[in-house]
Amino acid sequence: MTTDIEEKLARIGITGTLYKLYLTAVGLGGASVTEVAAKAGLARTTAHDALAKLEAEGLIRFVDHGKRRFVVAQDPGVLLERIEARRQMLEDVMPVLRSMYHHESGQPNVRFHPGPDGIRTTLWDTLSGGDTVLRATLSMKELMAEPGLEEMERYLSERARRGIWLRVIRSAERDVVPIWPSSQEQRRELRYAPSAHTLAMTCFVYGNKVALISSARESFGMIIDSAEFAAFQASMFDAMWSLSTPASAQP
């Protein structure tokens, strides 16, 4: 069990001396620096430097009583907060890093993701562009088959939670169930395409990318990372948007 914990904490950077001291502090609850160092089998000076790093990470805190300094481990739940904070930080900088990467390379990047897993990968990538608004054409009949209603509900909930608006065009004849209407709360604006145009494939335009999701029969997702192609697709979407009929909104 201890080995398992050590391996998992090592994956988030708590290794060696840091691992020994953190686990010792958690086990003791509250103890002096000397006691924690001795229990961990480390010299006091070595332990003090490592404990300072753990304090900077928010994993322990120092409490002074007279001339003695005590170490108190923080609630282990802080580890989850630490990971979430780093994830959010990476989400914030990822669009800028991707933009810099492809700008420097000067080449479009096309990724093909086959199968159901590929469709899910493509779908969730649409939240990575750093946009406040997504443009999308959704083919409801195909989406109900793959990735399916449950996965789509998770995706739409996370999109709304991140404060990303969805401007979506659908074809009325492809709607298999009356769901996902225009909604201020869910940050979604729905329009229906003219009956002469049937949208039988799902497409997202976000950042410098365009994502395509096929039917379950062909079963693939594809992401085209190209500023020029994304700008072209955004213009095409806006033209179709102006011709489409607004759906009645819900509060």
Side-chain angles (χ1 to χ4, degrees):
M1 180 64 176
T2 301
T3 302
D4 188 49
I5 294 175
E6 184 173 6
E7 290 176 355
K8 287 181 169 57
L9 289 180
R11 293 177 186 175
I12 58 172
I14 303 175
T15 61
T17 301
L18 295 179
Y19 167 77
K20 290 180 182 179
L21 288 169
Y22 179 63
L23 230 62
T24 300
V26 169
L28 292 176
S32 68
V33 172
T34 301
E35 290 169 327
V36 172
K39 184 74 173 179
L42 298 168
R44 190 180 187 283
T45 52
T46 301
H48 196 278
D49 291 341
L51 286 169
K53 292 180 181 179
L54 290 174
E55 183 190 32
E57 292 286 355
L59 298 174
I60 62 109
R61 61 188 174 91
F62 290 115
V63 178
D64 292 325
H65 284 292
K67 295 183 178 180
R68 301 184 70 192
R69 169 160 277 198
F70 287 79
V71 177
V72 179
Q74 299 288 64
D75 188 299
V78 75
L79 290 170
L80 293 175
E81 295 173 5
R82 179 170 175 251
I83 292 171
E84 177 61 24
R86 288 187 176 183
R87 185 190 67 81
Q88 187 61 55
M89 178 190 68
L90 287 172
E91 281 186 358
D92 291 343
V93 302
M94 194 59 64
V96 177
L97 292 176
R98 286 188 185 279
S99 176
M100 291 170 60
Y101 170 76
H102 291 297
H103 175 74
E104 290 301 321
S105 67
Q107 296 294 322
N109 184 311
V110 180
R111 286 172 283 161
F112 182 79
H113 300 288
D117 286 343
I119 287 177
R120 286 189 286 274
T121 296
T122 301
L123 175 68
W124 285 94
D125 189 80
T126 64
L127 300 183
S128 69
D131 305 69
T132 56
V133 178
L134 290 178
R135 294 174 172 91
T137 58
L138 301 187
S139 181
M140 298 288 282
K141 184 177 179 180
E142 281 67 35
L143 290 173
M144 290 301 100
E146 193 67 61
L149 179 59
E150 186 176 342
E151 185 74 5
M152 284 300 300
E153 292 285 7
R154 279 197 294 268
Y155 165 81
L156 292 171
S157 294
E158 178 61 18
R159 175 195 55 74
R161 188 190 71 79
R162 295 189 190 187
I164 302 171
W165 270 89
L166 179 66
R167 296 175 70 190
V168 56
I169 304 172
R170 301 192 328 227
S171 289
E173 59 267 33
R174 309 300 291 184
D175 278 11
V176 291
V177 286
I179 57 175
W180 309 335
S182 292
S183 169
Q184 288 287 326
E185 182 182 355
Q186 293 301 313
R187 294 176 170 82
R188 179 171 50 242
E189 185 177 359
L190 168 64
R191 292 190 179 186
Y192 282 106
S195 57
H197 302 282
T198 300
L199 305 177
M201 192 170 190
T202 291
C203 176
F204 290 88
V205 183
Y206 58 108
N208 289 329
K209 293 190 271 189
V210 176
L212 302 170
I213 295 177
S214 76
S215 65
R217 181 174 62 83
E218 295 194 350
S219 193
F220 72 86
M222 183 166 62
I223 301 170
I224 303 171
D225 194 338
S226 163
E228 292 181 6
F229 186 64
F232 171 75
Q233 287 298 115
S235 295
M236 294 292 287
F237 176 93
D238 291 344
M240 177 66 81
W241 182 262
S242 67
L243 298 173
S244 298
T245 304
S248 54
Q250 290 187 357

